[in-house]
Coordinates of all heavy atoms in Angstrom, one line a residue:
E420 N 13.6 15.0 -21.3 CA 14.7 15.8 -20.6 C 15.0 15.2 -19.3 O 16.2 15.1 -18.9 CB 14.2 17.2 -20.3 CG 13.9 18.1 -21.5 CD 13.0 19.3 -21.0 OE1 13.3 19.9 -20.0 OE2 12.0 19.6 -21.7
I421 N 14.0 14.7 -18.6 CA 14.2 14.2 -17.3 C 15.0 12.9 -17.4 O 15.9 12.6 -16.6 CB 12.8 13.9 -16.6 CG1 12.2 15.3 -16.3 CG2 13.0 13.2 -15.3 CD1 10.7 15.2 -16.0
K422 N 14.7 12.1 -18.4 CA 15.4 10.9 -18.6 C 16.9 11.1 -18.9 O 17.8 10.4 -18.4 CB 14.8 10.2 -19.9 CG 15.0 8.7 -20.0 CD 14.1 8.2 -21.1 CE 14.5 6.8 -21.4 NZ 13.7 6.2 -22.5
A423 N 17.2 12.2 -19.6 CA 18.6 12.5 -19.9 C 19.3 12.9 -18.5 O 20.5 12.5 -18.3 CB 18.7 13.7 -20.9
I424 N 18.6 13.6 -17.7 CA 19.2 14.0 -16.4 C 19.4 12.8 -15.5 O 20.4 12.6 -14.8 CB 18.3 15.1 -15.7 CG1 18.3 16.4 -16.5 CG2 18.8 15.3 -14.3 CD1 17.3 17.4 -16.0
A425 N 18.4 11.8 -15.6 CA 18.5 10.6 -14.9 C 19.8 9.9 -15.2 O 20.4 9.3 -14.3 CB 17.3 9.7 -15.2
A426 N 20.2 9.9 -16.4 CA 21.4 9.2 -16.8 C 22.7 9.8 -16.1 O 23.6 9.1 -15.8 CB 21.6 9.3 -18.3
K427 N 22.6 11.1 -15.8 CA 23.7 11.7 -15.0 C 23.7 11.3 -13.5 O 24.7 11.3 -12.9 CB 23.6 13.2 -15.0 CG 23.5 13.8 -16.4 CD 24.8 13.8 -17.2 CE 24.6 14.3 -18.6 NZ 25.7 14.0 -19.4
L428 N 22.6 10.9 -13.0 CA 22.5 10.5 -11.6 C 22.6 9.0 -11.3 O 22.8 8.6 -10.2 CB 21.1 11.0 -11.0 CG 20.8 12.5 -11.1 CD1 19.5 12.8 -10.3 CD2 21.9 13.3 -10.6
A429 N 22.5 8.2 -12.4 CA 22.4 6.8 -12.2 C 23.5 6.2 -11.4 O 23.4 5.2 -10.7 CB 22.1 6.1 -13.5
G430 N 24.7 6.8 -11.5 CA 25.9 6.2 -10.9 C 26.2 6.9 -9.5 O 27.2 6.5 -8.8
S431 N 25.3 7.7 -9.0 CA 25.6 8.4 -7.8 C 25.4 7.5 -6.5 O 24.7 6.5 -6.6 CB 24.6 9.6 -7.6 OG 24.6 10.4 -8.7
E432 N 26.0 7.9 -5.4 CA 25.8 7.2 -4.2 C 24.9 7.9 -3.3 O 24.2 7.3 -2.4 CB 27.1 7.0 -3.5 CG 28.0 6.0 -4.1 CD 29.3 5.8 -3.4 OE1 29.4 6.1 -2.2 OE2 30.3 5.4 -4.0
H433 N 24.8 9.3 -3.4 CA 23.9 10.1 -2.6 C 23.2 11.1 -3.4 O 23.7 11.5 -4.5 CB 24.8 10.8 -1.5 CG 25.7 10.0 -0.8 ND1 25.3 9.2 0.3 CD2 27.0 9.8 -0.9 CE1 26.4 8.6 0.8 NE2 27.4 8.9 0.0
A434 N 22.1 11.6 -2.9 CA 21.4 12.7 -3.5 C 20.7 13.5 -2.4 O 20.3 12.9 -1.4 CB 20.4 12.3 -4.5
F435 N 20.7 14.8 -2.6 CA 20.1 15.7 -1.6 C 19.0 16.5 -2.2 O 19.2 17.1 -3.3 CB 21.1 16.6 -0.9 CG 22.1 15.8 -0.1 CD1 23.3 15.3 -0.7 CD2 21.8 15.4 1.2 CE1 24.2 14.5 0.0 CE2 22.7 14.6 1.9 CZ 23.9 14.2 1.3
F436 N 17.8 16.6 -1.6 CA 16.7 17.3 -2.2 C 16.5 18.6 -1.3 O 16.4 18.4 0.0 CB 15.4 16.5 -2.1 CG 15.4 15.4 -3.2 CD1 16.3 14.3 -3.0 CD2 14.6 15.4 -4.3 CE1 16.3 13.3 -3.9 CE2 14.6 14.4 -5.2 CZ 15.5 13.3 -5.0
L437 N 16.5 19.8 -1.9 CA 16.4 21.0 -1.1 C 15.1 21.7 -1.5 O 14.8 21.8 -2.7 CB 17.5 21.9 -1.3 CG 18.9 21.4 -0.9 CD1 19.9 22.6 -1.1 CD2 18.9 20.9 0.5
A438 N 14.5 22.3 -0.5 CA 13.3 23.2 -0.8 C 13.1 24.1 0.4 O 13.8 24.0 1.4 CB 12.1 22.3 -1.0
R439 N 12.1 24.9 0.4 CA 11.7 25.7 1.5 C 10.1 25.8 1.6 O 9.5 25.6 0.5 CB 12.3 27.1 1.5 CG 13.7 27.1 1.9 CD 14.3 28.5 1.9 NE 15.7 28.5 2.5 CZ 16.0 29.1 3.6 NH1 15.2 29.8 4.3 NH2 17.3 29.1 4.0
G440 N 9.6 26.0 2.8 CA 8.2 26.3 2.9 C 7.3 25.1 2.5 O 7.6 23.9 2.8
L441 N 6.2 25.4 1.7 CA 5.3 24.4 1.3 C 5.9 23.4 0.4 O 5.4 22.3 0.3 CB 4.2 25.2 0.5 CG 3.0 24.4 -0.1 CD1 2.2 23.8 1.1 CD2 2.1 25.2 -1.0
N442 N 7.1 23.7 -0.2 CA 7.7 22.7 -1.1 C 8.5 21.7 -0.4 O 9.0 20.7 -1.0 CB 8.6 23.5 -2.1 CG 7.8 24.6 -2.8 OD1 6.6 24.3 -3.2 ND2 8.4 25.7 -3.0
V443 N 8.8 21.9 1.0 CA 9.6 20.9 1.7 C 9.0 19.5 1.7 O 9.6 18.5 1.4 CB 9.9 21.4 3.1 CG1 10.6 20.3 3.9 CG2 10.8 22.7 3.1
P444 N 7.7 19.4 2.0 CA 7.1 18.0 2.0 C 7.2 17.4 0.6 O 7.3 16.2 0.5 CB 5.6 18.3 2.3 CG 5.6 19.5 3.1 CD 6.7 20.4 2.5
I445 N 7.2 18.2 -0.5 CA 7.4 17.6 -1.8 C 8.8 17.2 -2.0 O 9.1 16.1 -2.6 CB 7.0 18.7 -2.9 CG1 5.6 19.2 -2.7 CG2 7.2 18.1 -4.3 CD1 4.5 18.2 -2.9
A446 N 9.8 17.9 -1.4 CA 11.2 17.4 -1.4 C 11.3 16.1 -0.7 O 12.0 15.2 -1.1 CB 12.1 18.5 -0.8
N447 N 10.6 16.0 0.5 CA 10.6 14.8 1.3 C 10.1 13.6 0.4 O 10.6 12.5 0.4 CB 9.7 14.9 2.5 CG 10.3 15.8 3.5 OD1 11.5 16.0 3.7 ND2 9.4 16.5 4.3
E448 N 9.0 13.9 -0.3 CA 8.4 12.9 -1.1 C 9.3 12.5 -2.3 O 9.4 11.3 -2.6 CB 7.0 13.4 -1.5 CG 6.2 12.5 -2.5 CD 6.0 11.1 -2.0 OE1 6.2 10.8 -0.8 OE2 5.6 10.2 -2.8
G449 N 9.9 13.5 -2.9 CA 10.8 13.2 -4.0 C 11.9 12.4 -3.5 O 12.4 11.4 -4.2
S450 N 12.5 12.7 -2.4 CA 13.6 11.9 -1.8 C 13.2 10.5 -1.5 O 13.9 9.5 -1.7 CB 14.1 12.7 -0.6 OG 15.0 11.9 0.1
L451 N 12.0 10.3 -0.9 CA 11.5 9.0 -0.5 C 11.4 8.1 -1.8 O 11.8 7.0 -1.8 CB 10.2 9.1 0.2 CG 9.5 7.7 0.5 CD1 10.3 6.9 1.5 CD2 8.1 8.0 1.1
K452 N 10.8 8.7 -2.8 CA 10.5 8.0 -4.1 C 11.9 7.6 -4.6 O 12.1 6.5 -5.1 CB 9.8 9.0 -5.0 CG 8.9 8.3 -6.0 CD 7.5 8.3 -5.4 CE 7.4 7.7 -4.0 NZ 6.1 7.7 -3.4
F453 N 12.8 8.5 -4.6 CA 14.2 8.3 -5.2 C 14.9 7.1 -4.5 O 15.3 6.2 -5.1 CB 15.0 9.6 -5.0 CG 16.2 9.6 -5.9 CD1 16.0 9.9 -7.3 CD2 17.4 9.4 -5.4 CE1 17.2 10.0 -8.1 CE2 18.6 9.4 -6.2 CZ 18.4 9.7 -7.6
K454 N 14.9 7.2 -3.1 CA 15.7 6.1 -2.4 C 15.0 4.8 -2.5 O 15.6 3.7 -2.6 CB 16.0 6.5 -1.0 CG 14.8 6.5 0.0 CD 15.2 6.9 1.4 CE 15.3 8.4 1.5 NZ 15.1 8.9 2.9

Side-chain angles (χ1 to χ4, degrees):
E420 292 164 44
I421 294 165
K422 204 168 166 180
I424 296 171
K427 308 285 176 195
L428 300 191
S431 307
E432 283 181 27
H433 308 278
F435 295 92
F436 290 69
L437 299 186
R439 280 182 176 243
L441 181 66
N442 306 320
V443 173
I445 304 295
N447 291 332
E448 175 57 10
S450 167
L451 173 64
K452 214 89 313 177
F453 196 79
K454 71 180 80 158

